[in-house]
Amino acid sequence: MVSLRSSGPLAVGGPLTMHLGGAESNVAIGLARLGHRVAWVGRVSDDELGEFVLRHLRAEGVDTSGVRRDPDRPAGLMFLERRTEDVTRVQYHRAGSAGSALSVDDLRGPLAAGPRLLHLTGITPALSDAAHQAATWAAREAVASGTAVSLDVNYRARLWSREDARATLTPLAGYASVVIASADELDLVAEPGADEATAVAALLDRGVRTVLVKLGADGARAYTRDGVTHAPAVPVTAVDTVGAGDAFTAGYLSGQLDGLALVDRLHRAVTLGAFAVAGHGDWEGLPRRDELSLINGSAAGTTLR
């Protein structure tokens, strides 16, 4: 979708800058910058805004051949206002958008191509009944064909209630080999009110191999049947936290695709999260593969010459 950013309150009519936004596209770009072959599948409007989305994805090396141009529906919009230095507010205009019309037929061809990994978020099934059915179908078909599935819960309170989210995401999580959530999202893929240990145990019992819990400035925890592994956050000066969770996800999935050990996957995940919060934008500051050591190896304020 298109993200429109304001450095001040929207109500007073501050200037807006246009960006590419969306959790799935953030992850796609993060993986592509690290050298992975990535395809983004969905619908975009058949106008200048849809072309804006596709141009940015293509420029970042993301395959958009499976994207459908929808002549009847507008682009989804997201408005972000920097209300204070520490508070950013978001408004969505996605009802009836091209992305909300995602269907099973849109996904048949791309899945038939045999990807190694299918990444989904909890945002897509929140958009419409058709998108919900498409996401569930894709997860089921991927598992049946031997494709790994990752699910980032990515709860958005402005899109649906916690009760509706839980009713959809709990069964969807059963198809995933990797489930990613913040601590306050875990009960959306388990029983209402379940604490972290209970929710994780339930997911592992259902066949999920790894449960990742994002802890923000405290790093992350990864649970498997072998136990729990903690990775501290990489210390940086945070200037913009939007997109940090998606960067974390891209880093972890990159490590998984590269066959890294769990601790190294987590380290790459928190490293990408650090890159995301240290720069402005959802994905603009994410690193190339040869830049992964920049943050870990450099003191604050360093200029590399």
Side-chain angles (χ1 to χ4, degrees), residues 147-230:
T147 296
V149 176
S150 61
L151 173 67
D152 189 342
V153 173
N154 245 328
Y155 175 65
R156 297 290 184 266
R158 291 183 180 269
L159 295 179
W160 55 355
S161 70
R162 294 185 70 87
E163 292 73 21
D164 288 342
R166 185 179 296 108
T168 295
L169 298 181
T170 296
L172 188 59
Y175 296 107
S177 58
V178 177
V179 170
I180 306 148
S182 57
D184 63 349
E185 292 173 331
L186 275 173
D187 80 323
L188 297 178
V189 286
E191 293 297 321
D195 60 18
E196 183 171 314
T198 302
V200 167
L203 288 167
L204 294 177
D205 285 345
R206 295 174 62 198
V208 177
R209 295 181 181 178
T210 308
V211 181
L212 301 173
V213 183
K214 297 176 289 187
L215 304 172
D218 293 325
R221 282 189 286 268
Y223 292 89
T224 68
R225 289 190 175 277
D226 295 326
V228 59
T229 302
H230 176 260

Side-chain angles (χ1 to χ4, degrees), residues 63-85:
D63 180 357
T64 62
S65 60
V67 176
R68 178 174 174 180
R69 303 294 295 266
D70 192 323
D72 301 319
R73 296 176 178 84
L77 299 177
M78 176 173 66
F79 291 85
L80 291 93
E81 60 175 342
R82 191 75 175 270
R83 196 61 187 85
T84 72
E85 282 300 312

Side-chain angles (χ1 to χ4, degrees), residues 98-111:
S100 72
L102 182 73
S103 70
V104 170
D105 286 342
D106 294 330
L107 304 179
R108 293 187 190 277
L111 267 185

